[in-house]
Amino acid sequence: MSALSHGAECAALVQARTAIKPVIGLVLGSGLGDFADTVEGAVRIPFSELAGFPISTVSSHKGELIVGKVAGVPVAVLSGRGHFYEHGDPKVMKTPIETLAALGCKGVILTNAAGGLNPDIGPGELMLITDHINYAGTNPLIGEMGDQRFVGLTQAYDLRLQGLFKSAAAEEGIKLGSGVYMWFNGPSFETPAEIRMARILGADAVGMSTVPEVILARYYGLEVAAVSTVTNFAAGMTGNEISHLETKENGPKGAEKLKKILPRVIAAYGA
Ligand code: HPA
C-alpha cells in the first residue's frame, strides 16, 4: 500500500522550468478551471508529465499544474484533481499535495462543488468549510509509517485563512456561508435517507472530494482553507433528481464569486 511518493521529483521538474517559488497552492474544483487563466507569468505542466499525478476522467476537470503569480503572490495551481471514486485509491492526491509542500508552499486553498444541506446556503452560493466528517470509510494515510501518520485534525481548517476569506468576501460584498462538509465516496449521488442522516450528523454540505486532500495537506504541514460552491440542494431536499449537469451549470456561479475573493485572500496571505 505504501506507494513511493514522487513529490520531490515533481518539484524538481517544476523548479527546472520556473524560478517562481510558490507560497500557496490552490486546487481548483468543478467549474473553477478557468481561474487558472488569471495566473500571471504562468508555466503550465500537464499532469501527464508529472509522475504520480492523477489522470482525470471527469468532464469538467483538466489536469495541469500551473505555477505563476496571482495578485503578485507566487502560487502553484492544480487545475483538476483526482477523486477516490475514479481510482479507488484514497492516496490519489498524495503526490500532488506533497509536490506543493516540496515546492515551498506554506498553505493550500481547496475548492469543490458540493450538495447543500443547509437551507441558508443555496445553489450558486459559497460555503467556507470549517470542519469535516470523513464518511468514506477510508483515509489517504493508510499504509504510511511513523508517528507522523497520526495527524491531529482538531483545527484542520486554518483560522487565519478562514478570517482572510471572510474579510475578502465582505470587501467584495459576496455572501459566504460556513459549515461542515461531509465526504461521501460517490460517484453515485446520495439517497434522500443518506442526506437526512447527514443532516442529523451535522453536515451542511456533502461532496466527493477535498477531505483526503485536507488530511494529506495537514500530514505535510500545510495550512488549509477550503470552500465549496453549492451547486444543488442535496437529494430529497427538492422534488428533483440530482445530476452532474447542475454542477456544471451552477459551478460557474460560485466560480465568478471565487474569482473576486481569491486574489484578495492570496494577496493577504502573501503579505
Ligand atoms: N452530492 C455529492 N457531491 C456533489 C453534489 C451532491 O449533491 N453536488 C455536487 N457535488
Side-chain angles (χ1 to χ4, degrees), residues 113-115 189-190 206-208 231-232 247:
F189 288 109
E190 300 73 27
V206 294
M208 307 176 194
T231 54
N232 54 278
T247 301

Side-chain angles (χ1 to χ4, degrees), residues 65-226:
L65 171 60
I66 298 132
V67 177
K69 291 189 178 179
V70 169
V73 176
V75 297
V77 179
L78 300 176
S79 180
R81 59 152 57 88
H83 304 81
F84 178 64
Y85 66 73
E86 293 177 273
H87 308 275
D89 178 5
K91 291 182 182 296
V92 65
M93 288 297 284
K94 183 181 172 186
T95 298
I97 300 294
E98 188 190 19
T99 300
L100 294 179
L103 284 170
C105 290
K106 300 282 172 257
V108 63
I109 297 171
L110 308 165
T111 66
N112 64 35
L117 279 68
N118 184 331
D120 296 334
I121 312 171
E125 295 187 326
L126 300 177
M127 188 190 95
L128 187 65
I129 301 177
T130 55
D131 202 349
H132 74 229
I133 298 170
N134 177 356
Y135 190 68
T138 187
N139 191 295
L141 301 180
I142 291 171
E144 298 302 319
M145 296 296 157
D147 287 354
Q148 205 191 341
R149 73 187 122 171
F150 302 112
V151 180
L153 296 175
T154 308
Q155 192 65 70
Y157 299 84
D158 187 73
L159 284 174
R160 185 173 75 95
L161 265 168
Q162 288 186 44
L164 297 184
F165 266 94
K166 286 179 191 161
S167 307
E171 282 158 16
E172 289 291 339
I174 291 170
K175 180 183 161 194
L176 178 66
S178 65
V180 173
Y181 176 90
M182 188 161 176
W183 179 28
F184 278 79
N185 278 343
S188 58
F189 288 109
E190 300 73 27
T191 63
E194 286 164 349
I195 293 302
R196 286 193 299 275
M197 172 197 72
R199 291 178 80 165
I200 291 166
L201 295 182
D204 295 288
V206 294
M208 307 176 194
S209 68
T210 307
V211 166
E213 294 149 40
V214 171
I215 295 169
L216 286 162
R218 294 305 300 139
Y219 180 66
Y220 289 115
L222 297 171
E223 294 174 339
V224 173

